[in-house]
Amino acid sequence: MCGILAYVGDRNAFRTLMDGLKSIAYRGYDSCGIALADGERLTIAKTVGPWESLEPRSTELVDIPARSGIAHTRWATHGEPSDVNAHPHLDCNARFAIAHNGIIENYGAVRRDLIQSGHKFCSATDSEVIVHLIEQFVEDGLEVEAAVRAAAQQLVGAYAFVVLDRESPTEVYGVRHDCPLIVGRSDEGSFLTSDVAAIVDYCDEAIILDNQQMAIISQDDVVTVALTGEPVTCSSTRVDWTKGQAQRSGYPHFMLKEIHEQPDTVQQLLSARLNDRGETVFPEIDEILPANLNKIVVVACGTASYVCAYAKLVLEQMTGLPVLAEVGSEFRYRRNFLDPSTLLVAISQSGETADTIASLRLAKEAGAPTVSFVNVMGTTIARESDRVIQTLGGPEAAVPSTKVFMNQLVSALLVSIHLGRRLGSLPKSDRTATDLRTLPSAVRECLRLEGVIEKIALTYSNRDSWFVIGRGLDEPLAREAALKLKEVAYVHAESLPAGELKHGPIALVEAEMPVLAIVTQPHLRTKMANNIQEVAARRGALIVLASMSDEAIDEASTEVVMLPSISAYLDPILVSVPLQLLSYHIAVLRGASIDYPRNLAKSVTVE
Ligand code: M6R
């Protein structure tokens, strides 16, 4: 939430920062801004809207001979999206500019004190206190570096911020505490950023700062210190994402590109985790599995929490252990039953979701071994888990998660097989590992159904209310379908275990109301057929995604899309493709902002 970027080097600072902002637009896009230091003054440009909103000022800004600057793309927490609340924020004398990601919890008290000392605030943000604190400490006689550290030590909350100094434009300061901050070095200069995506064009290696650390970057150097002032040595991590992966490559939207990448991203994951002998390879799990393992807790938020729901059912089936599927924002505030014989699995694309991090920390406190499925390496969840399983989806630029969701599901299935085999609870005859090899080609087949899905989208794009129903392993997919319809197409959609429809929600079903039904589970087919009949009897418009044909279902339905079928464990994974395509095409027809839906951000670093 909120993207930050800083640059010092020999390139044009405005162009470099704008390119970087574009790559991290998914972090928040209600407003944006840039500050440039040319050795004489700071020039600030900030506005409501995404990074493109700065383009009208580009002819003026690109001519400023600045070789350093900071930039920000915002997801508002304190203060509505407005020009004045956009970052960077300045101190009273326009000497320092800061850009911040996170929340300063004690900003009210700090602000009151600073106002009493004569500081003038311009915005309604929590962030502005940071720059006035730095100004105050410099006025009190500290050197700038010490003032930045002292300011950070006054703050309570989660933050990463970067500081530009008019008087010393050859250096930029960055501080991290509970929000990501990454340092990149290249021949063309140095960077600080919240996301590695902003620097993949320039840097092969990155340093990921730890909490309570600060970096001072200059064109040729990076110095890292603790907030206490002692030097710290940080190791670097390879940046293995490429520029091409982070581009739209001819697709109208990142979301569509990422949906179409799924055969390749799944293949990549399978190649890493399934060897030629059909063995699953998870040394990370083998290393930490307690001998007395007696339950598993899988925790995440949003789309990733539906992976938990799928994982629960598969893990229970394959391991014979009880498995709890939890939403981070709830789990962290109640009795959790975590102990050293519990395995906690945290799932997160961004690796920075605040509620998932909090749940992970509870597990650590309770002595439970932790493993995370993370797509972005070097992030907080990856660093704080005992072991990390990379989901290998590559950079996902669209805010709506698609290819990483699929790789999370596949990871969950692979881990279930692995644990089932280790615990001896998975029958030797189980063929799921072999079946998985056919998944990439089946995903390709699903993608060929795009024309059919587009027609359905055209018929139903004007409907504002949907139900999505499924049973068993299809139920988590129904939840994901409803979320995608909401977040991408801005259509109200509610998901239900199909058997629940008649306990109340069916009161809303009337002629032509779209009800999307997912039918992939052979043992639940007849039950689904009954639920579908109940909707048909109320003249609802039934759109069925099915892995098997069924006369009763065919007769009652308005549209039936037959999907390729592999097995009961794998078919729900395949369903995610038409679900993604449906919400995408409805969103196109409704003119929604697909890659950057309103009010959302890709990385939810606040509670
Ligand atoms: O980065 P995470 O996987 O931890 O994010 C969790 C959710 O915020 C995320 O899945 C969200 O629901 C997306 N909008 C899904 O498309």
Side-chain angles (χ1 to χ4, degrees), residues 228-387:
T228 48
E230 284 109 58
V232 287
T233 314
C234 301
S235 53
S236 43
T237 307
R238 245 181 67 73
V239 175
D240 50 11
W241 288 357
T242 63
K243 184 179 178 185
Q245 285 176 310
Q247 287 175 341
R248 282 211 308 268
S249 317
Y251 284 92
H253 299 99
F254 278 114
M255 182 179 174
L256 190 61
K257 178 194 174 214
E258 289 160 4
I259 291 171
H260 280 267
E261 280 172 353
Q262 293 179 114
D264 295 336
T265 45
V266 167
Q267 183 57 61
Q268 202 169 329
L269 177 61
L270 292 176
S271 306
R273 296 296 181 176
L274 204 53
N275 70 18
D276 294 344
R277 295 187 298 281
E279 292 158 349
T280 47
V281 184
F282 286 99
E284 303 88 344
I285 290 189
D286 300 338
E287 285 157 14
I288 59 160
L289 206 61
N292 59 347
L293 176 72
N294 65 13
K295 70 176 172 306
I296 302 171
V297 175
V298 198
V299 67
C301 298
T303 283
S305 75
Y306 311 142
V307 178
C308 298
Y310 170 87
K312 169 190 164 69
L313 300 178
V314 181
L315 277 166
E316 281 181 346
Q317 193 63 31
M318 291 191 171
T319 66
L321 292 174
V323 181
L324 307 179
E326 300 288 346
V327 170
S329 53
E330 291 295 319
F331 183 65
R332 62 184 293 189
Y333 293 116
R334 61 175 169 72
R335 193 162 169 198
N336 58 42
F337 301 100
L338 292 165
D339 60 32
S341 52
T342 309
L343 176 68
L344 182 116
V345 182
I347 304 181
S348 176
Q349 186 288 132
S350 64
E352 295 294 348
T353 300
D355 290 316
T356 310
I357 295 172
S359 307
L360 181 68
R361 289 181 182 160
L362 288 176
K364 298 204 73 130
E365 272 168 34
T370 57
V371 61
S372 58
F373 297 180
V374 173
N375 198 51
V376 187
M377 288 313 283
T379 47
T380 307
I381 294 176
R383 287 154 69 83
E384 294 195 13
S385 308
D386 294 329
R387 294 292 183 277

Side-chain angles (χ1 to χ4, degrees), residues 496-537:
L496 297 160
E500 285 297 297
L501 205 53
K502 59 181 156 307
H503 295 292
I506 203 164
L508 292 178
V509 175
E510 53 188 8
E512 299 306 309
M513 181 192 184
V515 177
L516 181 62
I518 304 173
V519 189
T520 76
Q521 300 298 291
H523 68 297
L524 296 167
R525 188 181 69 178
T526 323
K527 304 294 167 204
M528 278 304 290
N530 295 344
N531 301 136
I532 284 170
Q533 299 280 2
E534 290 157 11
V535 173

Side-chain angles (χ1 to χ4, degrees), residues 1-18:
M1 253 160 187
C2 297
I4 54 181
L5 177 63
Y7 172 69
V8 191
D10 55 12
R11 294 174 53 86
N12 179 288
F14 174 69
R15 273 284 151 236
T16 311
L17 291 169
M18 282 294 272

Side-chain angles (χ1 to χ4, degrees), residues 104-116 129 154:
I104 308 299
E105 288 170 6
N106 61 338
Y107 82 100
V110 177
R111 185 178 164 119
R112 271 193 300 281
D113 289 351
L114 286 162
I115 289 172
Q116 264 179 11
V129 297
Q154 300 294 306

Side-chain angles (χ1 to χ4, degrees), residues 301-304 347-353 356 381 399-401 408 480 483-484 487 600-604:
C301 298
T303 283
I347 304 181
S348 176
Q349 186 288 132
S350 64
E352 295 294 348
T353 300
T356 310
I381 294 176
V399 169
S401 184
Q408 289 169 340
E480 170 61 1
L483 179 73
K484 281 285 164 288
E487 72 174 346
L600 299 187
K602 194 156 185 70
S603 179
V604 185

Side-chain angles (χ1 to χ4, degrees), residues 125-188:
T125 65
D126 53 339
S127 315
E128 197 181 345
V129 297
I130 301 170
V131 75
H132 291 283
L133 274 173
I134 296 170
E135 176 182 38
Q136 184 62 52
F137 282 115
V138 170
E139 272 173 28
D140 292 347
L142 291 186
E143 296 292 328
V144 177
E145 182 196 317
V148 173
R149 285 191 278 109
Q153 282 169 323
Q154 300 294 306
L155 305 175
V156 176
Y159 53 83
F161 65 85
V162 289
V163 186
L164 186 66
D165 177 6
R166 180 188 67 204
E167 306 296 314
S168 178
T170 51
E171 286 165 339
V172 178
Y173 307 85
V175 177
R176 174 208 159 116
H177 183 70
D178 274 350
C179 285
L181 192 63
I182 296 161
V183 186
R185 273 276 315 122
S186 80
D187 295 342
E188 297 172 275

